Amino acid sequence: MAHNLRQCRVLVKKAVNAGAKALFLPEASDYIGISGAETVKLVKSVHDSEFVLGLQEEARREKLPIHVGVHEPGLDVSKVKNTVLWIDEKGEIAHRYQKIHLFDVDIKDGPVLKESNCVEKGMKIVPPFTTSLGKVASTICFDLRFPEIGIALKRLGADIITYPSAFTVPTGKAHWEILLRARAIETQSYVIAAAQVGKHNEKRVSYGHSMIIDPWGAILADVGGIDDEPEIATATIDHDLLRKIRMEMPLLRRTDVYPEI
Ligand SMILES: O=C(O)CNC(=O)[C@H](CS)NC(=O)CCC(=O)C(=O)O
């Protein structure tokens, strides 16, 4: 966790130097455990986590909001919550989302992960919140595969939908970019997807390729192949473009035919 905090502090500096208005960090930026048991053993509440306290200090000092994925203690002590925090420019935790869809897979010759063994699932969509970039909405990683949550967040007013992630390499190669672009196109929103990259331990490697996508589906940034060091990407959020795309091609839903989500 101390190492991850050091890496995040470097990214904060880079974001400040780039003139960024906010910094978006990946899912589980505090740590990736080698097992469910280790994930539970390492968890700390935000009040005791040197990782979260350190980022709050950075946000306050640099007046830079930070959106970051972490683990928090579960209601059941044998589990954790997989959450993302919006730390505002005063260093306060102003918003929090808990991952709804958990990653339980058993792929032949591929990843076998059962997130629900050690993670409690979130029970609600958190409405988009106002920031100096526009209205930001949070989801996490595997949520990306469920268009419903993106569409619900768009209906609630999102301009930017975030997918902080730690995708596996095979699923990342096959699906990451196309899913992100699809979510941006169908919601006519910016998509910001900060992604873990590289080897965490003997069992886990993350695909990387943090991306920023515009509401037309164009990739504005793509950084971090699996051998790369942590890096940031920047892009401008263009509210005229958001308005233009939404006006020129209104996506009026037929909720008289299928249910509203
Ligand atoms: O393990 C932690 O502590 C943090 N959580 C994760 O890394 C999660 C659960 S294992 N990863 C994903 O959801 C990847 C999804 C994915 O790769 C896909 O949808 O293809």
Side-chain angles (χ1 to χ4, degrees):
M1 268 180 274
H3 172 74
N4 286 15
L5 178 59
R6 274 198 302 281
Q7 286 194 316
C8 291
R9 286 191 200 269
V10 172
L11 297 175
V12 168
K13 243 184 218 93
K14 290 187 179 191
V16 169
N17 290 341
K21 289 189 175 163
L23 172 64
F24 295 82
L25 294 169
E27 175 188 30
S29 289
D30 50 354
Y31 61 88
I32 299 273
I34 196 162
S35 63
E38 189 180 66
T39 299
V40 172
K41 200 175 87 201
L42 290 173
V43 74
K44 286 193 180 150
S45 88
V46 293
H47 310 290
D48 300 321
S49 159
E50 63 172 295
F51 180 83
V52 174
L53 292 169
L55 284 186
Q56 287 181 277
E57 178 191 302
E58 293 288 330
R60 194 177 311 122
R61 193 183 57 239
E62 304 296 349
K63 299 185 178 50
L64 179 75
I66 301 175
H67 187 257
V68 59
V70 296
H71 302 86
E72 295 186 74
L75 301 173
D76 172 345
V77 292
S78 68
K79 291 196 170 181
V80 301
K81 296 174 181 171
N82 184 337
T83 65
V84 63
L85 310 173
W86 177 263
I87 303 173
D88 69 16
E89 66 289 347
K90 294 192 219 96
E92 307 292 336
I93 297 171
H95 304 283
R96 175 189 261 105
Y97 164 75
Q98 185 183 351
K99 188 177 187 181
I100 292 176
H101 302 95
L102 301 184
F103 190 50
D104 288 348
V105 295
D106 186 345
I107 297 174
K108 190 167 173 290
D109 304 321
V112 177
L113 284 162
K114 197 150 172 33
E115 189 176 21
S116 63
N117 276 348
C118 70
V119 179
E120 271 173 17
K121 59 176 187 268
M123 297 303 288
K124 54 180 186 289
I125 287 173
V126 175
F129 46 89
T130 302
T131 74
S132 67
L133 303 177
K135 288 218 165 196
V136 172
S138 305
T139 78
I140 300 177
C141 198
F142 190 54
D143 288 332
L144 171 59
R145 293 179 180 273
F146 302 86
E148 290 89 342
I149 178 168
I151 289 166
L153 290 166
K154 158 70 187 319
R155 187 172 59 77
L156 293 168
D159 300 319
I160 301 165
I161 304 179
T162 68
Y163 292 96
S165 297
F167 249 57
T168 70
V169 173
T171 61
K173 275 188 186 152
H175 302 149
W176 173 246
E177 175 186 323
I178 198 161
L179 286 171
L180 290 171
R181 294 184 69 200
R183 298 296 84 86
I185 294 165
E186 75 201 0
T187 61
Q188 300 180 315
S189 301
Y190 281 91
V191 161
I192 298 180
Q196 296 260 2
V197 61
K199 189 170 176 177
H200 305 290
N201 54 51
E202 290 312 310
K203 290 206 274 186
R204 287 281 296 274
V205 182
S206 287
Y207 176 63
H209 291 280
S210 294
M211 287 195 187
I212 307 171
I213 317 230
D214 84 5
W216 193 245
I219 298 173
L220 302 181
D222 172 358
V223 289
I226 52 172
D227 297 322
D228 292 341
E229 286 301 303
E231 192 45 274
I232 64 159
T234 56
T236 302
I237 304 297
D238 179 348
H239 285 268
D240 290 335
L241 181 68
L242 272 171
R243 265 189 296 276
K244 178 176 178 294
I245 287 171
R246 291 173 178 190
M247 200 171 65
E248 288 179 351
M249 192 195 286
L251 297 179
L252 295 176
R253 308 211 99 76
R254 287 294 308 277
T255 51
D256 53 334
V257 178
Y258 47 76
E260 181 170 75
I261 44 176

